[in-house]
Amino acid sequence: MPLSPLEHDRRYGELDQVIRAYAGQPADDTPDKPSDALVAYLRHTWHSRPWALAVAERQLREYADNPPGRLRLRLGEFYAIPDVGLPESDLQQWLYCLADHIKHSVEEGEVPPPATPATHWEWHARFPELGQFLGGWFSQDMPDEFDDHDAATDDYRASTDPQLAAHLVGELYELLALDLDESDYALAVAELGMEVDPPPYSPSGWLALVADRLTVPRADYGPSA
């Protein structure tokens, strides 16, 4: 039978995070140089969950040491590595290479400095609630569901726990603090799931207006009189 969610996370949870970091990215790691995808994983994890790096190194190495055999394949009791563009015969050495780079980073204290996200995975790992907001309320169906952008924002605010909305406001200000060019802000919101154009403002101006709109307290939340 397939792995339970708990067993999956115990054995492969952080391995899965590493592999997800390669979505849309080449698995071109070499023993001398990690790929852009792995650098993005290291950068975000060092600055958010540094303890997880040791878990990732162990799970990668254990999977490479004990790839799933015929019985586990038949029962479904294993983690299926998505296609990363490598021949199956190269996967084992690639996993060892990733584990070696993570081990080196931890043992030598080589921490990628803070930077603008460089991959699709890193954008969503760093701005998870903003990804939920843009992907859920500003998909290509938004014009059919809401009168305008303000109506979509108000619907998010009315239907979302205020604590999550507060997280979103913090992520909006963090994104604005990156001080990107407007073209890069347009790329950022597209990476995070926005499929419609913003109103007639610059992308950063619209993000600032959304943050302001979400900071107005909801009438149904707060201490009673």
Side-chain angles (χ1 to χ4, degrees), residues 3-225:
L3 291 168
S4 69
L6 182 60
E7 186 64 18
H8 172 276
D9 287 350
R10 283 174 174 168
R11 294 166 61 181
Y12 308 118
E14 199 59 31
L15 162 66
D16 184 52
Q17 286 297 310
V18 177
I19 302 302
R20 286 176 183 271
Y22 284 83
Q25 297 292 315
D28 54 358
D29 308 83
T30 68
D32 297 324
K33 186 176 185 296
S35 64
D36 290 343
L38 187 59
V39 171
Y41 168 81
L42 288 169
R43 175 169 48 239
H44 178 73
T45 308
W46 262 115
H47 293 282
S48 61
R49 302 178 303 123
W51 53 266
L53 293 166
V55 179
E57 190 269 344
R58 174 178 57 78
Q59 291 184 356
L60 284 161
R61 209 172 294 282
E62 287 179 350
Y63 192 99
D65 287 342
N66 301 286
R70 292 181 180 177
L71 177 61
R72 288 168 64 197
L73 287 171
R74 188 169 76 248
L75 296 175
E77 295 178 349
F78 72 104
Y79 172 76
I81 293 179
D83 183 8
V84 293
L86 295 175
E88 188 173 348
S89 58
D90 293 344
L91 281 176
Q92 185 179 45
Q93 288 305 314
W94 177 66
L95 293 172
Y96 282 133
C97 181
L98 301 188
D100 289 343
H101 279 304
I102 294 173
K103 180 181 179 182
H104 175 81
S105 179
V106 172
E107 290 186 339
E108 301 300 321
E110 293 188 2
V111 183
T116 300
T119 68
H120 180 77
W121 175 88
E122 191 177 9
W123 277 110
H124 282 267
R126 185 165 173 180
F127 299 102
E129 190 59 27
L130 183 52
Q132 290 288 325
F133 172 66
L134 294 176
W137 276 263
F138 293 93
S139 70
Q140 60 186 351
D141 297 327
M142 187 275 274
D144 298 325
E145 297 177 0
F146 303 105
D147 291 337
D148 54 26
H149 292 68
D150 287 348
T153 301
D154 289 343
D155 183 77
Y156 168 87
R157 180 168 167 266
S159 60
T160 302
D161 186 285
Q163 295 185 57
L164 289 176
H167 279 292
L168 172 58
V169 171
E171 290 180 13
L172 285 165
Y173 284 132
E174 181 180 349
L175 178 56
L176 291 169
L178 295 179
D179 196 22
L180 306 177
D181 292 337
E182 291 302 331
S183 60
D184 290 328
Y185 276 117
L187 174 63
V189 296
E191 285 281 7
L192 288 164
M194 189 168 185
E195 296 178 339
V196 295
D197 292 330
Y201 306 107
S202 65
S204 66
W206 179 70
L207 292 170
L209 286 173
V210 170
D212 287 345
R213 195 173 189 88
L214 292 174
T215 56
V216 178
R218 272 173 37 181
D220 62 339
Y221 190 81
S224 57

